Amino acid sequence: MRRLALLLCLPLFAATVRGQQEAPHYPVNDLIRFDDEREGARWRVAPIPYRPPDGGAPFQAPALREPDMQWVEETLAAMTLEEKIGQLLMPRWSADHAESDLAEYHVGGFIFSAIPSVRILEATNTLQHAAEVPLIFSIDCEAGAGARVSDGTVFPMNMALAATGREDLAYQQGIVTARECRAMGVQIAFGPVIDTNTEPANPIIGIRAFGDDPEVIERFAQAYVQGAASAGLLTTYKHFPGHGATDADSHKSLPVVDIDCDELERLHLRPFENLIARGTGDLVMTAHVWYPCLDPGIEDWPATLSTPALTNVLRERMGFEGVIISDSFAMRGIRLAASTYDGARISVLAGMDIILMPPSTREAFEGVRDAVKAGMISEERLDASVRRILIIKSKAGLPEAATASEADLLRTMLHEEHIATAEEIGRSAVALGRVREGALPLTAEQRVLVVSFLTDNTIFYAYPHTEFSGALARALPGTDVVTMPTDDEGIIGRSILAAAPSYDRIVVTSRSWNPSDTAPQVALLRALVAGQVPVVYLSFGSPYHELDVPELENVFCTFSSHYASQRQAAQVLLGEAEATAAWPVDLGR
């Protein structure tokens, strides 16, 4: 470390971490979260308290049941027009406005994000007691409840799960996610993502998808959904009719997927159609993406507002009878196309059942109400949506199982069984792209430089590389670790290049889920590869990074930065384990 620090002469983190003790599974204050649904959201560090298991079994709700249609019809018949309209609205929960949203607009439920589970439990129980019609609550759970809840179990991303090749693990992940959600009083998980990620430059799906093969997507999504249903959790297929071919982020713009309908059908609609035909999944979430083959014309028109997409294809052709829910109405992909007032009524006319996260609950409510009163939306059409919403509420055990208990919550969140399942997935997700003979394993006689690329963009979570670098440093006395920022102007990169020849191996790691590392990082990687010291590149994120540096000879990927994957990757580089995972996307090797 002194050798590298002297060469750098910079206020740069460079540390040899020999003798570092094993951290608990979820160390406090090192899980970076990013709330990508809200404009202007900021990075933050969320404390993840590690709760040792108490030896008790985790809470598990009963499996989803057949709906009580008598309750559904009697509840629907007793509702006023305003109460029916409110059922179509699912705003973001906030302590500041949740009670007024319920009292003034009769909302049907809320979505939670980025708060501790005990606060969610308190909110769900309080609001259920105040509601005339039982509420339904949701969380974005693509990587487990811990992806959004600060003391929930975090799983590797979907692409890592598919890389394991084990559908039994997908089933178990569904059960674990269901247990933790239902223990908080939450009935809906927004997942799994069943987009077919065919665009390597896709800036928003990537490792959130199971891969680029519709058949693999179907198998893993079905296993996950069946596991979740067995433990009482409603699930959501997203993002219809497919977000995997986009090269833009619908949080920031309105992407256009200008492919012919044959390609859309063959690659992107297929998982939705086949899974719906099997009767799995309870909701379908729409994409704020324009598909000209479905909505031809000169006006950008997202699928969220598209009658051809929602009614003609999803309802009539595919026969989907569940709930259609929008992606967040706070995203620019929808806001660029219509105001909240107009978007609410247009989406319902197109076939929408639930409007998620409207920037203004009042505007969404008034948009639908005025359309009904003007005769644009018939009461029969409104009743159809409300009936579907009440049906999924009944499937989840409402109104009988409306509240949850703190005792069940405390014995469920971060249970040892849950952590074990997540870690099994993480250990099984290390994939080998290619390796040059003689480059590995790393040995104790070698001097090893670990260059850790930082990231300024993530989704759900990004762990620091401490578990990986710590494991190497404990095994290899000659290990130094240095971080490379995203926006280096050349000073740090030049210093690393100057130090590189004094090492025997260079290991470069990235935890970015973006399809590319930043330009300064890619430039450094290329320069290192052009040198005389063998370079091993390890992506703890996107598998597409190697496309930026095709001359890389030694490539591994874990498809997430989960700590279990980090520890296993270190064992692989040390020759103490094998990279057994499959590569879930075709990179044309």
Side-chain angles (χ1 to χ4, degrees):
M1 192 238 352
R2 289 189 297 273
R3 175 173 61 252
L4 181 59
L6 289 173
L7 283 167
L8 294 180
C9 295
L10 292 168
L12 177 68
F13 172 72
T16 300
V17 283
R18 304 182 187 92
Q20 175 178 308
Q21 297 298 311
E22 280 291 326
H25 297 293
Y26 292 85
V28 174
N29 289 331
D30 69 353
L31 178 57
I32 300 173
R33 298 177 183 280
F34 183 71
D35 186 346
D36 57 274
E37 303 289 359
R38 180 175 51 195
E39 288 189 76
R42 297 180 180 273
W43 289 86
R44 58 186 176 276
V45 176
I48 306 299
Y50 178 69
R51 182 182 297 111
D54 60 8
F59 167 77
Q60 183 164 316
L64 296 179
R65 66 183 185 183
E66 289 297 315
D68 179 350
M69 293 307 298
Q70 180 178 345
W71 175 81
V72 169
E73 295 300 337
E74 289 177 353
T75 302
L76 177 61
M79 284 183 178
T80 65
L81 174 62
E82 288 73 17
E83 288 171 338
K84 292 177 182 179
I85 293 169
Q87 288 296 302
L88 276 61
L89 306 180
M90 185 176 283
R92 178 195 293 271
W93 176 86
S94 165
D96 296 330
H97 63 64
E99 292 186 2
S100 62
D101 279 345
L102 180 58
E104 296 178 31
Y105 304 113
H106 316 284
V107 298
F110 293 90
I111 178 174
F112 291 96
S113 183
I115 59 175
S117 62
V118 68
R119 289 191 62 198
I120 294 176
L121 177 70
E122 179 184 6
T124 58
N125 284 345
T126 299
L127 290 167
Q128 290 287 23
H129 285 302
E132 293 290 332
V133 177
L135 300 167
I136 199 161
F137 300 104
S138 63
I139 292 179
D140 226 344
C141 290
E142 294 175 27
R148 293 298 191 195
V149 181
S150 60
D151 57 341
T153 301
V154 183
F155 283 87
M157 300 302 291
N158 279 345
M159 197 171 285
L161 179 57
T164 70
R166 294 180 54 184
E167 293 162 53
D168 64 308
L169 290 176
Y171 185 87
Q172 289 302 317
Q173 180 173 331
I175 291 176
V176 170
T177 303
R179 288 172 175 172
E180 296 194 348
C181 284
R182 292 305 305 264
M184 294 183 285
V186 170
Q187 299 87 10
I188 297 177
F190 290 142
V193 171
I194 61 170
D195 299 317
T196 306
N197 200 79
T198 56
E199 172 53 67
N202 194 320
I204 189 58
I205 301 301
I207 59 174
R208 298 168 65 193
F210 290 110
D212 60 10
D213 183 338
E215 190 272 334
V216 172
I217 293 166
E218 292 166 27
R219 287 194 290 108
F220 277 86
Q222 177 159 317
Y224 171 86
V225 165
Q226 288 174 334
S230 74
L233 186 65
L234 300 162
T235 51
T236 309
Y237 291 136
K238 61 183 189 181
H239 308 79
F240 184 85
H243 211 316
T246 55
D247 59 6
D249 180 355
S250 54
H251 295 87
K252 303 175 182 178
S253 65
L254 174 52
V256 180
V257 175
D258 195 6
I259 58 178
D260 61 49
C261 279
D262 288 342
E263 182 177 347
L264 182 66
E265 176 75 32
R266 177 172 51 87
L267 293 174
H268 304 284
L269 288 175
R270 176 181 155 184
F272 290 95
E273 185 160 22
N274 289 350
L275 287 164
I276 288 169
R278 293 172 187 166
T280 59
D282 308 287
L283 301 93
V284 168
M285 179 179 285
T286 66
H288 301 324
V289 176
W290 180 29
Y291 304 83
C293 83
L294 296 178
D295 287 281
I298 60 172
E299 183 179 14
D300 296 357
W301 203 243
T304 298
L305 304 178
S306 168
T307 298
L310 304 190
T311 296
N312 299 354
V313 176
L314 185 54
R315 284 277 184 233
E316 296 175 356
R317 203 196 82 192
M318 294 186 181
F320 180 60
E321 297 179 352
V323 169
I324 302 177
I325 186 168
S326 74
D327 207 338
S328 168
F329 256 58
M331 294 163 58
R332 288 189 63 79
I334 186 70
R335 297 175 71 179
L336 289 170
S339 66
T340 300
Y341 177 92
D342 289 333
R345 63 176 177 80
I346 294 170
S347 68
V348 173
L349 282 167
M352 191 68 65
D353 295 314
I354 296 179
I355 298 157
L356 180 65
M357 296 171 62
S360 167
T361 306
R362 176 185 61 79
E363 290 179 20
F365 179 89
E366 291 177 352
V368 177
R369 181 199 62 191
D370 293 351
V372 173
K373 290 187 173 181
M376 297 173 61
I377 299 173
S378 69
E379 283 209 52
E380 182 182 13
R381 166 66 189 88
L382 180 63
D383 285 354
S385 282
V386 177
R387 182 177 289 107
R388 285 189 283 264
I389 293 165
L390 293 175
I391 285 173
I392 65 168
K393 288 184 176 184
S394 181
K395 285 180 67 175
L398 299 176
E400 298 89 345
T403 58
S405 78
E406 185 173 356
D408 287 341
L409 179 78
L410 294 178
R411 67 186 173 94
T412 300
M413 307 305 289
L414 288 178
H415 191 278
E416 61 179 343
E417 290 181 14
H418 301 176
I419 293 173
T421 300
E423 295 209 333
E424 178 67 14
I425 295 171
R427 285 193 301 272
S428 303
V430 182
L432 167 64
R434 56 184 175 271
V435 64
R436 183 178 180 179
E437 186 176 356
L440 294 172
L442 304 177
T443 66
E445 294 75 27
Q446 294 171 337
R447 293 168 297 168
V448 178
L449 172 62
V450 178
V451 180
S452 175
F453 286 174
L454 299 182
T455 181
D456 59 5
N457 200 358
T458 186
I459 191 161
F460 294 121
Y461 74 92
Y463 287 121
H465 291 175
T466 51
E467 290 293 288
F468 173 76
S469 58
L472 284 192
R474 285 189 295 273
L476 308 174
T479 298
D480 291 320
V481 181
V482 62
T483 56
M484 171 67 171
T486 59
D487 56 353
D488 178 47
E489 297 180 354
I491 300 173
I492 295 174
R494 286 193 297 270
S495 299
I496 292 173
L497 288 174
S502 65
Y503 290 89
D504 299 302
R505 294 290 187 272
I506 298 172
V507 178
V508 179
T509 67
S510 172
R511 57 179 169 163
S512 175
W513 70 278
N514 281 344
S516 296
D517 293 314
T518 64
Q521 291 169 340
V522 172
L524 173 62
L525 181 58
R526 285 177 178 156
L528 289 171
V529 171
Q532 299 301 308
V533 181
V535 175
V536 178
Y537 183 80
L538 178 55
S539 174
F540 291 118
S542 173
Y544 300 107
H545 294 171
E546 69 170 275
L547 298 178
D548 291 325
V549 190
E551 60 269 32
L552 275 168
E553 293 184 318
N554 309 295
V555 181
F556 294 84
C557 188
T558 66
F559 314 99
S560 82
S561 59
H562 196 279
Y563 279 137
S565 292
Q566 291 191 40
R567 292 190 289 269
Q568 187 73 6
Q571 297 303 301
V572 168
L573 267 56
L574 292 168
E576 298 172 0
E578 293 185 4
T580 59
W583 210 268
V585 293
D586 182 4
L587 299 184
R589 295 195 192 96

